[in-house]
Amino acid sequence: MLTTHPLSPPEIVTTAVPDDERIWVPQAKDVWFRPLMLNTLNGGWCNLLRVRKAGVLSRHRHPGPVHGYVIKGSWRYLEHDWVARAGDYVFEPPGETHTLTVESADEMITFFNISGCMYYVDAEGNHTGFEDVFTKIDMCRKHYIEVGLGAGFVDQFIR
Ligand code: FE
């Protein structure tokens, strides 16, 4: 007989690409993320990234590993010669610094499992900002209040 560990939090099962547009949290103009699992226990998060513009999105360094799965569209890193397309899996090793670029304004949606933080840098590698699970939670909470879903809406994704 299967039992549930008393300390084990409940699973999260949700429609990844949501029907309700308000669930997408604006990241920048024509860029959104959709939280799926905000992990405050090991410091990381799973989300969908949606982009509807062409061009450079950010240059960033990963202190921890990232796993990606492209659901729709395509993207690349300027530092590499491959293109991640719908159906592709991408592993980004710790220590990588790269420049996320989308070459078509057609919609791109990618699932990312990000450990630690996104450490943003400029062209010279100077630190310009960061995101971690806590800044993500704050962004979600602020947005969900603004769109009427309420401050507690993000809590369902937090563990
Ligand atoms: Fe990256």
Side-chain angles (χ1 to χ4, degrees):
M1 175 182 162
L2 292 172
T3 55
T4 301
H5 191 286
L7 297 180
S8 178
E11 67 274 20
I12 298 172
V13 181
T14 187
T15 302
V17 179
D19 295 328
D20 188 340
E21 177 62 27
R22 297 176 299 171
I23 294 174
W24 290 100
V25 180
Q27 177 89 42
K29 188 178 184 317
D30 300 323
V31 182
W32 301 260
F33 73 94
R34 186 273 199 256
L36 292 167
M37 200 286 194
L38 300 162
N39 193 335
T40 64
L41 299 177
N42 74 353
W45 68 101
C46 294
N47 69 187
L48 302 184
L49 178 67
R50 185 178 74 182
V51 181
R52 290 177 175 166
K53 69 174 180 183
V56 170
L57 272 80
S58 74
R59 185 156 198 260
H60 57 265
R61 180 179 176 86
H62 295 290
V66 174
H67 304 267
Y69 176 75
V70 186
I71 295 170
K72 189 177 182 186
S74 65
W75 52 271
R76 61 184 294 251
Y77 288 122
L78 292 183
E79 292 79 3
H80 300 288
D81 57 9
W82 47 262
V83 176
R85 304 179 194 283
D88 288 350
Y89 162 80
V90 177
F91 169 62
E92 305 182 17
E96 266 272 301
T97 299
H98 46 217
T99 310
L100 177 56
T101 306
V102 177
E103 287 174 349
S104 163
D106 293 344
E107 183 172 87
M108 177 279 266
I109 298 176
T110 299
F111 169 85
F112 283 111
N113 179 350
I114 297 165
S115 295
C117 74
M118 297 282 289
Y119 183 96
Y120 294 106
V121 297
D122 64 16
E124 282 73 49
N126 299 308
H127 175 68
T128 58
F130 78 97
E131 291 188 290
D132 63 15
V133 64
F134 302 104
T135 67
K136 284 298 190 190
I137 290 170
D138 290 346
M139 284 177 76
C140 291
R141 208 178 293 287
K142 181 170 179 292
H143 171 71
Y144 292 144
I145 291 170
E146 287 171 6
V147 297
L149 290 170
F153 187 79
V154 68
D155 292 339
Q156 65 188 295
F157 307 122
I158 300 173
R159 291 297 184 273

